[in-house]
Amino acid sequence: MAGYADTPLTGAHFAAFCEKMVGQPYWYGACCYKATQSLLSSKSKQYPGYYTAGRMDQCQRDIAARAVVADCIGGAKGYAWTNGGASILAAIGTDAPILSKYGANGCPDKGANGMFTYAKSKGCPWGPIATLPETLGLALGKDGHVGYYIGNGELVEWRGFNYGCVRTRVSQRDFQYWYQLPFLRYEGGNMPAPDPEPTPDPDPQPGDGTRAAVRGQRRGHQHPPGQRAELWPPAPGAFGHLSALCGHGRQWLDRRGNRQRGGLGVGRVCTGGVTK
């Protein structure tokens, strides 16, 4: 897509932002904030185990350099809360303000593990690191940490106090899974997550709100029974294509009114339960 990397809040734009942040310091609990004495005092009281005496000299150097600081998940939150990070980049080494709105663009204030859990609850695609697609801006996670894929086997991560924001290779790190961040749009569409189950489930009754609903959430589909395939999703490309399985027990009525099983096809009507 032409100009995709120039469009804020897309995966490609976020990946480019991360590359520009390489070299900036890591401060635990920060979300792309200006390094100031006030911030250091606040974070030291909030997280005394991280802001130890041995780190104070480096923190003071960061303040003197007018650096912009973040932790691993804070890089993504800061980007979203500033509508794409333009004011963050402008603030590096200058006195320019960072224009940030807490919680903006649907980005919640969650930690590394919590953001992964939230993304799954919103139906965002994810998978084991061995299946990592060549999609810019994906989050790469493991317990307590996250980095961001920038293509060609490389990532950017706010790795820790001793490293700062660095560029590394996926093959040299121990990330366990990838996932789409729920507040970004990805080239090719935000595709429904694949079904990890090798065989279909038994058909639930219409209105079943248990397993069918969970599977519907995992694919990102939220439509009522009776919704025709050609009318869902309402925005073309919202999920990338119109041939994914729905998750409502995979029960459909074709144009002749015959009950069918299998993938969503144009003209078929969902007879499953409503997802939340």
Side-chain angles (χ1 to χ4, degrees):
M1 183 182 297
Y4 198 79
D6 298 323
T7 304
L9 302 173
T10 62
H13 189 272
F14 176 57
F17 165 81
C18 290
E19 291 190 74
K20 293 172 184 175
M21 291 299 292
V22 169
Q24 292 301 298
Y26 175 104
W27 282 24
Y28 185 83
C31 301
C32 293
Y33 302 146
K34 200 65 173 280
T36 64
Q37 198 64 49
S38 174
L39 179 65
L40 178 59
S41 176
S42 172
K43 294 302 176 186
S44 295
K45 293 176 181 177
Q46 189 175 5
Y47 306 110
Y50 287 91
Y51 292 86
T52 60
R55 290 172 172 162
M56 288 300 104
D57 286 347
Q58 180 59 57
C59 289
Q60 292 298 334
R61 289 193 290 271
D62 297 338
I63 294 171
R66 290 179 284 190
V68 173
V69 296
D71 63 13
C72 65
I73 194 62
K77 291 189 290 189
Y79 171 85
W81 295 349
T82 58
N83 293 315
S87 65
I88 293 172
L89 298 174
I92 295 174
T94 74
D95 292 322
I98 295 176
L99 307 177
S100 180
K101 182 179 179 181
Y102 182 81
N105 295 303
C107 176
D109 187 4
K110 295 186 179 295
N113 291 352
M115 190 67 79
F116 179 45
T117 300
Y118 177 76
K120 289 190 292 183
S121 77
K122 302 300 287 185
C124 294
W126 66 280
I129 200 66
T131 66
L132 175 65
E134 190 63 18
T135 301
L136 300 181
L138 291 175
L140 310 181
K142 63 177 182 175
D143 187 30
H145 186 52
V146 65
Y148 309 103
Y149 190 61
I150 59 172
N152 298 315
E154 294 186 316
L155 71 141
V156 168
E157 55 180 315
W158 281 260
R159 189 169 176 178
F161 278 105
N162 294 334
Y163 298 92
C165 182
V166 295
R167 186 178 187 135
T168 55
R169 293 201 62 81
V170 177
S171 62
Q172 297 172 349
R173 303 289 284 130
D174 59 349
F175 289 99
Q176 301 298 307
Y177 51 85
W178 61 268
Y179 66 97
Q180 287 188 359
L181 291 162
F183 44 86
L184 297 183
R185 291 177 288 116
Y186 289 88
E187 191 165 12
N190 290 43
M191 303 295 288
D195 190 347
E197 300 169 357
T199 57
D201 295 326
D203 290 344
Q205 294 298 314
D208 184 351
T210 55
R211 194 169 186 83
V214 171
R215 291 177 56 208
Q217 289 175 352
R218 191 161 60 232
R219 290 176 177 79
H221 289 267
Q222 300 181 4
H223 61 265
Q227 173 66 61
R228 286 193 178 276
E230 64 263 40
L231 301 180
W232 195 270
F239 298 113
H241 58 72
L242 293 177
S243 61
L245 299 180
C246 168
H248 294 161
R250 299 171 176 167
Q251 297 183 14
W252 306 96
L253 298 180
D254 62 22
R255 285 192 173 98
R256 297 181 179 179
N258 298 316
R259 186 176 298 276
Q260 303 289 339
R261 291 178 56 82
L264 173 61
V266 172
R268 292 184 178 177
V269 182
C270 177
T271 63
V274 180
T275 62
K276 289 184 177 181

